[in-house]
Amino acid sequence: DHRDLHSFPTRRSSDLLLKIRGSYGVLGNENIGEYQYMAVMSRGNYTYSFGNTKVTGSAISDYVNEAIKWEKKKTLDFGLDLGMFSNQLEFTFDWYKSTSEDLLYSVAVPANAGATNTTVTMNAATMINSGLEFLVAYHNHQNAVKFDISANFSTLNNEVTKLGVSNEPRTDGYCRTEVGREVGSFYGYVYEGIFQSQEEIDNRVNSEGEYINQSGAQPGDCAYADLNLDGEITNEDQQFLGSGLPKYHYGLNARAEWNGLDLSISTFGAAGFKAVDFVDVTLRSSYFILNKSVELLNAWRPDNTDTDVPRIAYKSTGSITNDMFSNRFIQDASYLKIANIELGYNFPNKWFGGYVQGVRLYASAQNLFTLSKYRGYNVDFAGGTFTPGYNYASYPSPRTVMFGAHFSF
């Protein structure tokens, strides 16, 4: 269902076009799996004694959600379209709010329910996305050099407003989701540097002046912050460390033509988010005999203390290790990608005496270059629903260069 809230008349003149618009729609998602609402019996899954005789039968053993239904996305949008100088200059603005309701979510089945399944899928989560979108474009087709250029920019704010029946937080690997926060933020320890001596380990205090005990710490190990000020480094000293969702998306596209020669460039990017790369985390592990990053050649040693790489060992000496997930493994994933460049030439038809038409030679390159500090193979990876910033060894995007010819008889 989708309807316009208002349809204002478009104001036109020879040089100006102005349109104000608004819309509201509800979109259903039926991709929720088959027959989840139906209870089934497993053949021969129960036995009972009748007159001291063992009898095998069947019974419904799983708890089933018979009320499962489609997910819903409700979207409200207000926008403005502006065209000036006979639409040579165009500007578009949108504000949107998208509420995803009745999202499928695994809910724990109480142990006293007598069911064999421990979780059941219910429509038990809600998430809101809101933001702004801008687009500006300029077209110049009056001169010998004709060109079109456009730029876009958008913002995203995400908030989880419902999570299961009791709104309990959930942790997925290095990410945590809580009501009132965005989905899948990174969650871990706060890295404070490397211990340089046993004296530093023994004398370290928190902001309350209390000595901090970090289990198994040795010179060269990572030091973690005592966030709850209890004098012990435990899993209670973890906090949210950053967002895996881009706050900003942007892009720039341009095309120019001159005497049959044309050039087009397409770029896009994102900013305001962090990423964790599975390969990077694995290669930087301080323990065991595995493939390692060359960075570990600069690991801390008594004769190499001016380094930010902790000591390496066959195994750790305590429960708190150098491999605890912390902001040490989080990367700035902002990027700008040159997605496509194409250079071509369209030959005049008269050159070929009518035998062939539309002759065009071109060269193009895809995924040409990426500007980013990210160390992984593919910065524009697709993370999971609850782990948006976690790159679990996504396949690298290939760089492709093509040369071609096009013509017709």
Side-chain angles (χ1 to χ4, degrees), residues 44-257:
N45 65 334
Y46 274 93
T47 60
Y48 195 78
S49 175
F50 287 98
N52 292 326
T53 302
K54 180 181 177 181
V55 178
T56 301
S58 300
I60 296 174
S61 59
D62 284 352
Y63 175 78
V64 176
N65 176 20
E66 297 180 352
I68 195 168
K69 57 186 178 180
W70 288 13
E71 298 177 333
K72 291 185 296 186
K73 178 182 284 188
K74 300 178 179 179
T75 302
L76 177 65
D77 179 275
F78 292 102
L80 169 71
D81 297 327
L82 177 65
M84 302 175 65
F85 312 115
S86 300
N87 284 340
Q88 276 191 279
L89 179 63
E90 297 178 312
F91 175 77
T92 299
F93 164 78
D94 282 275
W95 172 88
Y96 69 91
K97 181 178 181 180
S98 177
T99 303
S100 298
E101 297 179 346
D102 298 327
L103 296 176
L104 298 185
Y105 191 77
S106 292
V107 176
V109 177
N112 59 2
T116 57
N117 55 324
T118 57
T119 62
V120 63
T121 301
M122 301 180 68
N123 300 97
T126 302
M127 185 167 58
I128 299 175
N129 290 318
S130 60
L132 304 173
E133 296 179 343
F134 302 89
L135 172 67
V136 61
Y138 183 71
H139 315 281
N140 189 332
H141 296 168
Q142 284 75 39
N143 302 321
V145 178
K146 300 176 175 61
F147 63 89
D148 301 272
I149 185 169
S150 65
N152 61 80
F153 179 82
S154 64
T155 68
L156 172 65
N157 180 61
N158 173 269
E159 181 183 1
V160 176
T161 59
K162 181 181 179 183
L163 199 62
V165 176
S166 56
N167 286 330
E168 287 292 324
R170 64 175 286 166
T171 300
D172 299 84
Y174 304 140
C175 302
R176 186 176 175 90
T177 301
E178 287 186 1
V179 169
R181 304 186 67 98
E182 66 180 36
V183 64
S185 294
F186 292 116
Y187 191 78
Y189 295 87
V190 175
Y191 169 74
E192 291 192 324
I194 294 177
F195 290 119
Q196 297 296 326
S197 65
Q198 188 63 45
E199 181 182 4
E200 181 181 352
I201 297 172
D202 296 338
N203 295 322
R204 189 166 72 117
V205 296
N206 58 28
S207 60
E208 299 290 329
E210 184 176 357
Y211 286 105
I212 301 173
N213 176 44
Q214 182 170 313
S215 172
Q218 295 186 17
D221 284 341
C222 295
Y224 302 110
D226 179 23
L227 298 181
N228 66 348
L229 304 177
D230 66 351
E232 297 281 341
I233 302 300
T234 66
N235 59 3
E236 297 298 322
D237 292 304
Q238 298 181 81
Q239 70 172 19
F240 288 96
L241 299 174
S243 170
L245 287 174
K247 294 292 186 294
Y248 313 105
H249 286 88
Y250 41 80
L252 179 68
N253 300 285
R255 176 181 172 82
E257 299 179 11

Side-chain angles (χ1 to χ4, degrees), residues 151-396:
N152 61 80
F153 179 82
S154 64
T155 68
L156 172 65
N157 180 61
N158 173 269
E159 181 183 1
V160 176
T161 59
K162 181 181 179 183
L163 199 62
V165 176
S166 56
N167 286 330
E168 287 292 324
R170 64 175 286 166
T171 300
D172 299 84
Y174 304 140
C175 302
R176 186 176 175 90
T177 301
E178 287 186 1
V179 169
R181 304 186 67 98
E182 66 180 36
V183 64
S185 294
F186 292 116
Y187 191 78
Y189 295 87
V190 175
Y191 169 74
E192 291 192 324
I194 294 177
F195 290 119
Q196 297 296 326
S197 65
Q198 188 63 45
E199 181 182 4
E200 181 181 352
I201 297 172
D202 296 338
N203 295 322
R204 189 166 72 117
V205 296
N206 58 28
S207 60
E208 299 290 329
E210 184 176 357
Y211 286 105
I212 301 173
N213 176 44
Q214 182 170 313
S215 172
Q218 295 186 17
D221 284 341
C222 295
Y224 302 110
D226 179 23
L227 298 181
N228 66 348
L229 304 177
D230 66 351
E232 297 281 341
I233 302 300
T234 66
N235 59 3
E236 297 298 322
D237 292 304
Q238 298 181 81
Q239 70 172 19
F240 288 96
L241 299 174
S243 170
L245 287 174
K247 294 292 186 294
Y248 313 105
H249 286 88
Y250 41 80
L252 179 68
N253 300 285
R255 176 181 172 82
E257 299 179 11
W258 177 73
N259 287 345
L261 187 69
D262 60 79
L263 174 67
S264 61
I265 301 174
S266 176
T267 71
F268 66 88
F273 73 113
K274 307 293 185 180
V276 171
D277 187 87
F278 167 77
V279 175
D280 177 68
V281 172
T282 302
L283 293 178
R284 292 168 66 194
S285 168
S286 296
Y287 309 106
F288 303 111
I289 304 173
L290 298 169
N291 291 333
K292 301 295 181 182
S293 168
V294 294
E295 289 184 14
L296 270 67
L297 295 174
N298 191 36
W300 188 96
R301 301 185 306 274
D303 60 345
N304 183 43
T305 60
D306 186 19
T307 177
D308 60 356
V309 182
R311 73 181 182 95
I312 56 176
Y314 177 68
K315 61 181 180 180
S316 63
T317 55
S319 58
I320 303 298
T321 75
N322 295 337
D323 289 353
M324 308 302 285
F325 179 69
S326 69
N327 50 321
R328 186 169 78 90
F329 294 106
I330 297 177
Q331 303 182 48
D332 180 359
S334 300
Y335 71 94
L336 175 65
K337 174 170 285 193
I338 301 176
N340 185 80
I341 295 180
E342 182 170 317
L343 177 66
Y345 183 73
N346 299 294
F347 291 87
N349 289 332
K350 63 182 181 180
W351 287 14
F352 302 96
Y355 293 102
V356 292
Q357 297 179 341
V359 178
R360 172 177 171 80
L361 297 179
Y362 66 90
S364 67
Q366 287 80 42
N367 190 33
L368 186 62
F369 190 71
T370 302
L371 296 171
S372 179
K373 297 179 181 179
Y374 182 68
R375 289 194 295 260
Y377 289 122
N378 188 24
V379 67
D380 56 333
F381 61 90
T385 301
F386 292 97
T387 55
Y390 182 52
N391 185 359
Y392 186 74
S394 64
Y395 195 80

